[in-house]
C-alpha cells in the first residue's frame, strides 16, 4: 500500500498511475509489499510485487494494490472475529441506519492494517464516509485483511488529492506540512492519537503555524487507560514470548519510560517474577515508579547486567550504540513506544556488525567478538508486529477516533479554531458506556439530590473536561472542506507511551 500525491484535480477515487507515485517513507510505501509474515496473514508462494501484477475482485473492482486478493475470504473471517469484541463500533453502525453523520466526508487513512482497523474503516463507510487507506507499518500489515477490504471496495492505495487523513504517529501530517504546505493549509481538521503526533501539533500551535483545528484523542481517559495501559499490559508478554520463548521469572528487565505504556509493561513483567528497572526523565513519573516498587536508574547503570531492554517513551535515540555495545550476550532489545526511532538502528547497520535473521521478526545482531543481541521487529512496535492486540481495546480507541472525527466534521463553523483541543468529556464517557454491556457492568445512577449536591447533570459529564486520569499526547484526524486526514494510531494504536 503506497501513499501518493497526484494532481489535486484528480478524482478522489481514481487510483494514481505508477508515474505519479511518491513514497512517504519506507514503512508506508513498503508495508503491504514487503511484510515478512504479519500476524493473521497467509504466506504466498508468489513473492512478486503487487505493483507488477493486475488483480481484480470477484466484482471486477481493480482500484487497489495488495499482495494477494485470493486471501480475501480468510481476511473476512478475521474481521468477523474482531467484530465480536468491538461492540461500540457495531452500535454506531446500527445508529447510522437512518442518519449518516459522515455523509460526504472523504477519509484518507494511513494506519496499521489489521482486522480491528478494518472494522473501523468499514464503520466509517457505513457512517457515510468515502475511504482510501494505506498501511503505516511493514510488519503489522495483515495482507489477508487488506484483501478483504479490497474485495468490499475499500481502496488501499492512498491518493493525497483531498484534505482528511487518518494517520498513525503523525508522520503523514508532518510530511504534508513540510513537503506540501499549501495542501496542509486546506485541511479542515486533525485528530491525533499518538504522543509524537501531539508533540508536533503543540509545537506547530506554539509557533503559530497550526492552521487547522486538531483534536487530541490520546489525552482522552479512555484512550490512555485502555489503549496504552491495559492493552500493553497484556500484549507485551504475548509479543516477547511468541518471538523469544523466554521465561521471565528472575530475569532482569530495563523499561525505558514510565508513562501509561511503561506502567503496563512493568506490571506485567513484575507479575511474572521479573526484576524490573525503570528509566525516566520526568520526576513525577519517576516518583510513581518508586511508589510502585520499581528502582529508577539510568540505563547506563544497568545495561551490562539486564536480560531485556524495552523502550517505550515515544522519543528518539533512547537506546543508542553506546548502550548496545555494553549489553551482554543474548540481551533482548525491543520497542513498545511510537516508532523505530527509539532504538538507534542506524548505528547497527555498519560493516563490522553482522545481521542474522533467526525467525520472522527476530534478528541477531552479531559483534566481531561473537557477542549478539536479539533485536525484535527491527525496532518497530513489538505488540503490533509480533503479536496481536486485544480487539476490545481497539474498539475503545477506534470508537473514540470515530467520535472525534464526527465532532470535527459536523461542528458548526467557528466552534474549533486553529488550536489543539481535548475530546469533549461527554464523548469520552459515552465511548466507555458503550462497552459496559459487553462486560455485564451496571452503572449506578445519581439521584437528583446527589446531582444537585455535586453541581453536575445526573447524566454526565461527571468530570470537567480538563480532568485526566493521565496526561499524554496523541495521533491525527484531519478534514479538508469535505475531506478528513485522520492521524490515528490504532494502536494503534495503539501504543503511545506517555505520561503520568
Amino acid at each position: 500500500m503506497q501513499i501518493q500525491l497526484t494532481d489535486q484535480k484528480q478524482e478522489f477515487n481514481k487510483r494514481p498511475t505508477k508515474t505519479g507515485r511518491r513514497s512517504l517513507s519506507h514503512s508506508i510505501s513498503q508495508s503491504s509489499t514487503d511484510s515478512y509474515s504479519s500476524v493473521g496473514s497467509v504466506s504466498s508462494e508468489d513473492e512478486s510485487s503487487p505493483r507488477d501484477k493486475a488483480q481484480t475482485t470477484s466484482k471486477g473492482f481493480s482500484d487497489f494494490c495488495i499482495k494477494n486478493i485470493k486471501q480475501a475470504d480468510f481476511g473476512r473471517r478475521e474481521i468477523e472475529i474482531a467484530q465480536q469484541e468491538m461492540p461500540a463500533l457495531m452500535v454506531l453502525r446500527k445508529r447510522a441506519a437512518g442518519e449518516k453523520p459522515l455523509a460526504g466526508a472523504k477519509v484518507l487513512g494511513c494506519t496499521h492494517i489489521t482486522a480491528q482497523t478494518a472494522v473501523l474503516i468499514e464503520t466509517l463507510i457505513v457512517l457515510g464516509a468515502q475511504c482510501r487507506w494505506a498501511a503505516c507499518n511493514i510488519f503489522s500489515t495483515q495482507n489477508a485483511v487488506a484483501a478483504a477490504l479490497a474485495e468490499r471496495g475499500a481502496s488501499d492505495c492512498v491518493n493525497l488529492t483531498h484534505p482528511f487523513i487518518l494517520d498513525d504517529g503523525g508522520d503523514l501530517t508532518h510530511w504534508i506540512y513540510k513537503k506540501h504546505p499549501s495542501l496542509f493549509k486546506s485541511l479542515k481538521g486533525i485528530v491525533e492519537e499518538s504522543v509524537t503526533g501531539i508533540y508536533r501539533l503543540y509545537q506547530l500551535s506554539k509557533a503559530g503555524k497550526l492552521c487547522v483545528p486538531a483534536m487530541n484523542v490520546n489525552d482522552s481517559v479512555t484512550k490512555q487507560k485502555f489503549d496504552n495501559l491495559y492493552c500493553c499490559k497484556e500484549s507485551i508478554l504475548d509479543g516477547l514470548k511468541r518471538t523469544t520463548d523466554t521465561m521471565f521469572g528472575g530475569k532482569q528487565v530495563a523499561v525505558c519510560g514510565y508513562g501509561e505504556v511503561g506502567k503496563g509493561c512493568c506490571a506485567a513483567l513484575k507479575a511474572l517474577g521479573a526484576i524490573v528497572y525503570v528509566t525516566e526523565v520526568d520526576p513525577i513519573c519517576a516518583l510513581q515508579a518508586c511508589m510502585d516498587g520499581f528502582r529508577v536508574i539510568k540505563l547506563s547503570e544497568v545495561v551490562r547486567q539486564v536480560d531485556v531492554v524495552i523502550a517505550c517513551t515515544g522519543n528518539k535515540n533512547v537506546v543508542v550504540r553506546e548502550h548496545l555495545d555494553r549489553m551482554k550476550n543474548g540481551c533482548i532489545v525491543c520497542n513498545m513506544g511510537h516508532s523505530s526511532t527509539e532504538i538507534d538502528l542506524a548505528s547497527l547497520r555498519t560493516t563490522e556488525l553482522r545481521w542474522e535473521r533467526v525467525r520472522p521478526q527476530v534478528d541477531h545482531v552479531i559483534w566481531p567478538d561473537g557477542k549478539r543481541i536479539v533485536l525484535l521487529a527491527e525496532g518497530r512496535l513489538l505488540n503490533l508486529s509480533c503479536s496481536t492486540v486485544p480487539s476490545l481495546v481497539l474498539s475503545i480507541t477506534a470508537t473514540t477516533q470515530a467520535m472525534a472525527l464526527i465532532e470535527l466534521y459536523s461542528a458548526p463553523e467557528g466552534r474549533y479554531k486553529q488550536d489543539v483541543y481535548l475530546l469533549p468529556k461527554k464523548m469520552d464517557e459515552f465511548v466507555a458506556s458503550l462497552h459496559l454491556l459487553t462486560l455485564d457492568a451496571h452503572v449506578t445512577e445519581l439521584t437528583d439530590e446527589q446531582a444537585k449536591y455535586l453541581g453536575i447533570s445526573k447524566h454526565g459529564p461527571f468530570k470537567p473536561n480538563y480532568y485526566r486520569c493521565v496526561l499524554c499526547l496523541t495521533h491525527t484526524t484531519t478534514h479538508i472542506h469535505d475531506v478528513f486526514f485522520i492521524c490515528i494510531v490504532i494502536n494503534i494504536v495503539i501504543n503511545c507511551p506517555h505520561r503520568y
Side-chain angles (χ1 to χ4, degrees):
M1 301 181 182
Q2 183 174 9
I3 290 185
Q4 306 164 17
L5 186 67
T6 60
D7 190 340
Q8 293 193 30
K9 296 181 180 180
Q10 188 173 348
E11 296 180 4
F12 179 74
N13 285 322
K14 185 177 179 182
R15 180 179 170 184
T17 62
K18 291 184 178 181
T19 56
R21 293 178 176 171
R22 294 185 185 179
S23 165
L24 171 60
S25 70
H26 175 79
S27 61
I28 293 177
S29 64
Q30 300 291 326
S31 56
S32 182
T33 306
D34 296 342
S35 177
Y36 288 97
S37 59
S38 301
V39 175
S41 297
V42 177
S43 60
S44 171
E45 294 181 359
D46 182 8
E47 295 300 329
S48 61
S49 170
R51 304 183 189 95
D52 299 330
K53 55 185 178 183
Q55 300 184 80
T56 59
T57 66
S58 60
K59 297 181 180 180
F61 180 69
S62 60
D63 187 17
F64 59 87
C65 180
I66 64 172
K67 190 170 186 178
N68 187 354
I69 191 61
K70 294 180 181 179
Q71 296 179 5
D73 289 342
F74 178 81
R76 179 52 51 187
R77 291 195 293 272
E78 291 285 336
I79 295 172
E80 291 171 352
I81 292 173
Q83 288 176 346
Q84 303 305 311
E85 278 282 288
M86 305 186 76
L89 290 179
M90 298 300 103
V91 170
L92 292 184
R93 292 187 188 187
K94 291 180 181 179
R95 294 190 176 187
E99 180 183 357
K100 304 290 184 182
L102 292 179
K106 296 177 181 177
V107 180
L108 302 178
C110 177
T111 67
H112 302 277
I113 300 298
T114 65
Q116 295 82 8
T117 309
V119 177
L120 170 61
I121 295 170
E122 293 184 343
T123 298
L124 295 178
I125 293 174
V126 171
L127 297 180
Q130 297 180 44
C131 296
R132 297 188 70 98
W133 231 258
C136 71
N137 187 304
I138 67 173
F139 292 144
S140 65
T141 301
Q142 296 178 356
N143 294 306
V145 170
L149 287 171
E151 179 65 33
R152 288 289 177 90
S155 300
D156 74 300
C157 190
V158 172
N159 180 347
L160 298 184
T161 303
H162 296 281
F164 263 92
I165 296 179
L166 202 157
D167 196 6
D168 191 332
D171 294 330
L172 181 55
T173 300
H174 182 69
W175 181 72
I176 294 174
Y177 169 74
K178 288 292 186 180
K179 301 294 184 180
H180 306 279
S182 59
L183 180 61
F184 183 77
K185 292 178 181 178
S186 66
L187 299 179
K188 184 179 178 181
I190 299 173
V191 175
E192 178 58 49
E193 71 143 1
S194 74
V195 173
T196 306
I198 284 297
Y199 278 153
R200 290 171 173 173
L201 289 176
Y202 278 124
Q203 288 171 351
L204 288 175
S205 177
K206 185 176 181 180
K209 297 180 180 179
L210 183 63
C211 53
V212 294
M215 191 72 76
N216 177 352
V217 171
N218 191 78
D219 279 344
S220 64
V221 176
T222 46
K223 200 281 179 187
Q224 276 287 293
K225 283 299 182 185
F226 298 95
D227 192 337
N228 292 4
L229 176 59
Y230 299 120
C231 171
C232 294
K233 185 177 180 180
E234 294 195 16
S235 60
I236 177 63
L237 299 179
D238 189 15
L240 285 171
K241 286 189 171 292
R242 286 196 194 201
T243 51
T244 67
D245 303 319
T246 297
M247 185 172 183
F248 288 91
K251 292 292 196 303
Q252 298 189 56
V253 183
V255 177
C256 302
Y258 201 69
E260 293 306 300
V261 171
K263 288 181 175 69
C265 292
C266 289
L269 291 161
K270 181 180 181 180
L272 288 185
I275 302 167
V276 182
Y277 302 96
V278 171
T279 73
E280 250 301 340
V281 298
D282 188 320
I284 297 178
C285 292
L287 183 58
Q288 285 180 311
C290 291
M291 293 296 182
D292 289 335
F294 301 107
R295 185 181 173 195
V296 178
I297 44 77
K298 294 181 179 179
L299 183 57
S300 59
E301 296 173 14
V302 295
V303 72
R304 291 185 183 276
Q305 67 194 60
V306 293
D307 302 288
V308 185
V309 176
I310 303 171
C312 44
T313 68
N315 208 333
K316 63 181 295 186
N317 293 337
V318 176
V319 181
V320 296
R321 180 62 184 270
E322 178 185 355
H323 299 133
L324 296 162
D325 284 337
R326 297 173 61 195
M327 289 177 183
K328 69 180 183 181
N329 184 52
C331 183
I332 299 169
V333 182
C334 64
N335 171 33
M336 284 287 288
H338 164 56
S339 67
S340 56
T341 58
E342 300 216 21
I343 301 169
D344 185 11
L345 295 176
S347 68
L348 295 179
R349 301 188 185 279
T350 58
T351 56
E352 77 271 17
L353 300 183
R354 180 165 58 90
W355 286 55
E356 182 181 85
R357 173 57 54 93
V358 181
R359 57 172 65 165
Q361 319 294 9
V362 182
D363 290 289
H364 282 177
V365 182
I366 306 171
W367 268 248
D369 63 358
K371 185 198 85 169
R372 62 184 62 200
I373 64 170
V374 183
L375 179 65
L376 304 183
E378 294 187 21
R380 292 181 175 84
L381 288 177
L382 174 70
N383 57 349
L384 287 174
S385 301
C386 304
S387 65
T388 57
V389 175
S391 296
L392 182 63
V393 167
L394 291 185
S395 175
I396 296 170
T397 300
T399 305
T400 303
Q401 293 159 349
M403 295 301 298
L405 176 56
I406 293 171
E407 171 67 14
L408 280 178
Y409 184 64
S410 60
E413 186 174 355
R415 174 182 293 178
Y416 296 107
K417 306 187 184 303
Q418 299 172 351
D419 203 351
V420 182
Y421 294 85
L422 296 173
L423 184 72
K425 183 60 62 181
K426 185 71 174 178
M427 291 188 179
D428 218 357
E429 294 175 355
F430 174 69
V431 171
S433 68
L434 291 179
H435 292 85
L436 290 177
L437 290 178
T438 301
L439 303 174
D440 195 25
H442 306 274
V443 176
T444 301
E445 184 175 312
L446 290 174
T447 65
D448 292 336
E449 182 182 8
Q450 289 172 325
K452 182 178 180 180
Y453 177 77
L454 295 175
I456 61 175
S457 167
K458 62 189 301 182
H459 303 295
F462 299 97
K463 298 288 191 299
N465 205 46
Y466 59 78
Y467 170 81
R468 300 289 134 202
C469 288
V470 286
L471 290 177
C472 194
L473 308 173
T474 324
H475 248 52
T476 315
T477 303
T478 327
H479 8 5
I480 299 180
H481 304 308
D482 62 339
V483 192
F484 299 89
F485 283 68
I486 312 167
C487 301
I488 68 175
V489 165
I490 222 163
N491 106 205
I492 173 234
V493 340
I494 294 169
N495 294 284
C496 300
H498 258 323
R499 293 290 15 140
Y500 340 128

